[in-house]
Amino acid sequence: THHILLPKTSAEGYEAALLLKQKIRNKVNDRNAFVVDVFSSAAKKFSIDLETAERGGLIGELVPQGYSICPELDRASFEVPLGEVSGPIESKYGYHLVLVCERINCPKLDGTLTRVIRGEDGLGTMLAPSTAEGQKSMGQTVLEVSMQQIGFWIVIFLAGGVLAEMSAKAAGILDTVPWE
């Protein structure tokens, strides 16, 4: 989640936040630019939250609900549409513009598209499933765990059989074990 904090100076602060939001949207639409790049640039330039401004307005990646000290911003992180500049949201700190770039465990809100990625041309913005390169999908993980479990139980079954035969020979119940 990224945010831009603007000062609360009467009605002008709200209007300035609306104007900045529209400028960001215009740059994204007119230039087919990546929304995160445009938003981060604006955050560095305009946000009065100096700690997050130097990181392009980044509050955190995949932060849990309750992470933000500002309840309005925290709520917005789990309510606003993914990849859209939202706000202004008023808090005791000022007016916030919010951009949620990735969110998990919100299937009713996001469906299977859980993150914002750069378009294939290096520009533009797309929504994508949560599996990034190098990560396994849920189906792949389930298959892998299932195969591990099957292998484990086959080894246990064979080891148990061998152990039972050796015990029977030691007790004198069997004269010879099959492999002798």
Side-chain angles (χ1 to χ4, degrees):
T1 301
H2 294 253
H3 88 123
I4 298 173
L5 179 61
L6 300 168
K8 196 188 316 187
T9 54
S10 68
E12 294 172 5
Y14 184 82
E15 295 300 321
L18 278 176
L19 183 62
L20 180 58
K21 175 181 170 180
Q22 192 57 50
K23 284 184 177 183
I24 293 170
R25 286 181 172 175
N26 289 345
K27 279 187 180 180
V28 168
N29 293 331
D30 294 345
R31 299 180 187 167
N32 194 29
F34 185 44
V35 67
V36 178
D37 293 343
V38 175
F39 194 91
S40 295
S41 176
K44 288 176 183 176
K45 191 172 183 179
F46 298 109
S47 184
I48 61 171
D49 181 354
L50 301 178
E51 183 181 333
T52 61
E54 65 187 29
R55 295 189 312 259
L58 180 65
I59 296 170
E61 294 178 353
L62 295 175
V63 295
Q65 201 159 8
Y67 178 81
S68 177
I69 61 169
C70 175
E72 297 86 357
L73 185 58
D74 191 58
R75 188 170 33 283
S77 295
F78 292 91
E79 292 177 354
V80 303
L82 196 61
E84 290 184 22
V85 178
S86 299
I89 299 165
E90 185 177 4
S91 75
K92 67 181 182 181
Y93 302 102
Y95 292 104
H96 303 265
L97 296 180
V98 179
L99 174 66
V100 178
C101 301
E102 188 167 18
R103 180 171 45 216
I104 57 174
N105 296 329
C106 294
K108 289 184 179 178
L109 187 58
D110 303 322
T112 60
L113 304 176
T114 60
R115 61 192 176 104
V116 176
I117 61 171
R118 195 177 302 273
E120 291 179 9
D121 57 358
L123 302 172
T125 303
M126 298 171 50
L127 297 179
S130 62
T131 54
E133 284 185 37
Q135 290 183 331
K136 297 175 185 166
S137 71
M138 181 62 84
Q140 290 170 323
T141 304
V142 168
L143 179 64
E144 186 176 294
V145 169
S146 298
M147 294 307 291
Q148 287 173 352
Q149 287 292 313
I150 290 169
F152 171 78
W153 287 110
I154 288 173
V155 169
I156 292 296
F157 177 75
L158 292 174
V162 169
L163 188 60
E165 286 188 20
M166 290 175 62
S167 298
K169 183 178 180 190
I173 297 172
L174 289 176
D175 293 332
T176 62
V177 272
W179 60 81
E180 287 182 351

